[in-house]
Amino acid sequence: MKLHRNVTPRQEVLSEKKLFTAVAALRSAEECKAFFKDLCTPAEIQAMADRWSVVEFLQKGMPYREIHRLTGVSVTTIGRVARFVVTGNGGYQIASQRIEGHSKRNGEESRRPEGPRHG
């Protein structure tokens, strides 16, 4: 976490809470896209997208090298994501379970990435 010398730890926590509350207030993928494009650099969005793109494969137990071949995401990044899938805060599981539930309700199939990307 970036340290701000003029901000107390309590102010940092409140700032994070406000950010997460703002994200939770968004009602569609399009609203989230607009918000993140305003908030983040293209590289930051790509880094998050790369991390998210490997979660499903990790949850299925796919080897890192195979995930890399399918997504283009570096093995190092895949390893970092895997660590949080297993011992993180549960965010990856919550999001993937909700997406899976939403997809099943709408009769959608899980989609594979279109092709390799950098990572």
Side-chain angles (χ1 to χ4, degrees):
M1 176 185 281
K2 182 177 178 179
L3 297 177
H4 298 282
R5 290 197 172 105
N6 297 337
V7 178
T8 68
R10 177 171 159 62
Q11 289 171 316
E12 283 284 343
V13 169
L14 290 173
S15 292
E16 284 184 13
K17 184 176 180 178
K18 287 179 181 181
L19 171 64
F20 301 138
T21 300
V23 172
L26 300 170
R27 296 188 177 161
S28 70
E30 287 303 313
E31 288 181 1
C32 288
K33 180 180 178 179
F35 181 77
F36 281 100
K37 283 188 173 273
D38 287 345
L39 182 68
C40 302
T41 67
E44 290 167 332
I45 291 171
Q46 185 64 57
M48 288 187 283
D50 284 349
R51 291 178 192 133
W52 181 246
S53 74
V54 304
V55 171
E56 179 181 2
F57 297 119
L58 288 166
Q59 290 173 331
K60 291 179 179 178
M62 189 176 286
Y64 292 10
R65 294 268 175 217
E66 181 67 8
I67 296 170
H68 168 71
R69 188 185 68 74
L70 291 169
T71 65
V73 176
S74 75
V75 173
T76 301
T77 295
I78 294 166
R80 286 186 193 129
V81 173
R83 191 169 55 245
F84 282 93
V85 165
V86 174
T87 62
N89 297 290
Y92 284 128
Q93 281 79 10
I94 291 168
S96 61
Q97 287 169 356
R98 290 196 181 149
I99 289 169
E100 183 179 318
H102 176 77
S103 295
K104 285 181 180 176
R105 284 192 303 276
N106 292 327
E108 299 170 7
E109 292 291 323
S110 180
R111 297 194 177 120
R112 299 267 181 199
E114 294 177 12
R117 294 194 306 217
H118 68 286

